[in-house]
Amino acid sequence: MAELIAKNPAEPEYHQAVHEVVESLDHFLSEHPKYKHARILERIVEPERIIIFRVPWVDDKGMMRVNRGYRIEMNSAIGPYKGGLRFHPTVNMGILKFLAFEQVFKNSLTTLPMGGGKGGSDFDPKGKSDNEVMHFCQSFMTELHRHIGANTDIPAGDIGVGGREIGYLFGQYKRIANEFTGVLTGKGLNWGGSLIRPEATGYGNVYFAQEMLKTRGEDIKGKTVLVSGSGNVAQFTVEKVNQLGGKVLTLSDSSGYIYDPDGIDNEKLKYVMYLKNNKRGRIKEYADKYGVKYEEGKRPWAEKAQIALPSATQNEINKEEAQLLVSNGCICVSEGANMPSTPEAIEVFLDKGILYGPGKAANAGGVAVSGLEMTQNSMRLNWTAEEVDKRLHLIMQSIHATCCKYGRKSDDYVNYVDGANIGGFVKVADAMMAQGAV
Ligand code: NDP
Ligand code: 2IT
């Protein structure tokens, strides 16, 4: 860790993500010294390649603007680099390295042949017109195109990058490369996209929570649920919880959260989708429309519920919030977002022995269906929604089984953190060993 911190200074999120994996692997590596001798850990934390570039673009007033673009190509031992693009003002090298590192383990857990990568920009889509977003995306892809490809590196969406942005990025790639390929996932349905990709992360997380609950004879049906965020992952989390008979009480954005004691039913969810995906407004407007509580500048974790599905961003649950959740009767936390719980919060969940599904396992459904989109693109055909959803469900069950295999302790408690980290590591490490000095 000391070497890593010295080599990657001022990147606390990256240190946090690596530290968790190192802790999980400690005992396992002592039992399997071949990985130590091959220095897999030292190699796996070093990105294979990092690309940083200038993104100049012109706004609606004719003013020149400039942002920074990145792509971290972290690990290609088991397949081409795969992972999303994040457009958010907080994007920097440390954030993207943590996300790329997590992606390597997550993609390995999906059972599909995908390496890990992540990219993005400090561009803030908030308050920008469609025209400005398009010009930014075109400039971003004008540089990125030379580094990616359907068999090399396949980006997708993340925070601030949804269907609109993928469309602009894909259009520019196609113009420059003169090729219609599966170089991005999350594409529109009539130009190479897969059914269920928009739903996949949220649905997958609820499937994962369901598997965890099953181990204790519990079910989503009749349970109260806290969800944070109100973007892609949060929206389809609510949809699946509703389908399974649970009741979602909260949603949030970076300004605050709403609490709806009657539950966010499908009708209200339709409004949230319009509000966030078309009007691009604030979650406060939900409280105004339905006359429910809105808490400005706060997160939803002090509310009482049985399940928490954080789906906004990293480090959004701290130690005190974790303690509140547990003392209020929460029995299951399953992470739609990447690294939403701080290390201290995770310690609380594990100490109290509740069901805790870390993001790299629980939210892997998104990238898994991206993998299925790549398969369909290669075969030049489209599967039905039922077919994709069935495969997604099977993949989430398989990830759960892998976590249990590697994370079950002597008292039978499943530590899903250890399970995901060791389970994700083994496949990548074995591939690196087989490929020599890579
Ligand atoms: P979206 O951009 O669609 O939505 C993000 C949501 O989180 C918005 O409600 C946003 O509020 C809120 N949010 C973002 N940053 C912050 C912050 N700093 N503080 C508080 N709230 C914040 O992104 P997604 O739904 O796609 O992503 C959500 C999480 O899920 C991320 O952690 C992402 O990495 C993870 N994830 C996404 C996958 C995908 O397929 N999209 C797959 C796996 C994980 P506001 O509008 O105010 O910014
Ligand atoms: O964090 C993630 O897994 C994603 N943002 C999805 C990546 C992908 O390639 O679909």
Side-chain angles (χ1 to χ4, degrees), residues 31 40 118 126 149 211-213 228 230 339 375:
E31 282 183 335
I40 297 293
K118 199 87 187 191
K126 273 203 200 78
E211 290 304 305
M212 290 199 292
L213 288 164
S228 64
S230 47
M339 210 168 78
T375 305

Side-chain angles (χ1 to χ4, degrees), residues 406-424:
Y406 290 103
R408 195 179 294 282
K409 303 294 164 186
S410 51
D411 62 358
D412 233 31
Y413 176 65
V414 178
N415 179 326
Y416 290 88
V417 180
D418 287 353
N421 287 335
I422 300 169

Side-chain angles (χ1 to χ4, degrees), residues 213 218-224 241 244-247 306-307:
L213 288 164
E218 298 275 3
D219 193 3
I220 304 264
K221 199 173 163 64
K223 296 265 188 318
T224 48
V241 170
L244 297 177
K247 181 157 107 172
Q306 292 148 301
I307 299 174

Side-chain angles (χ1 to χ4, degrees), residues 319 322-323 326 343-354:
K319 182 180 176 180
Q323 284 165 336
V326 176
E344 298 76 27
I346 295 173
E347 219 177 292
V348 172
F349 299 144
L350 298 180
D351 277 357
K352 300 287 181 191
I354 70 161

Side-chain angles (χ1 to χ4, degrees), residues 86 88 99 106 118 126 157-161 197 201 229-234 252-255 276 282 311-314 336-338 363 366:
R86 177 176 291 191
H88 195 272
L99 288 163
K106 183 194 303 191
K118 199 87 187 191
K126 273 203 200 78
D158 193 75
I159 291 176
V161 178
R197 177 60 189 90
T201 311
S230 47
N232 170 267
V233 178
S252 70
D253 59 23
S254 54
S255 309
K276 286 292 169 180
R282 309 306 297 159
S311 307
T313 193
Q314 63 277 352
N338 285 307
N363 72 37

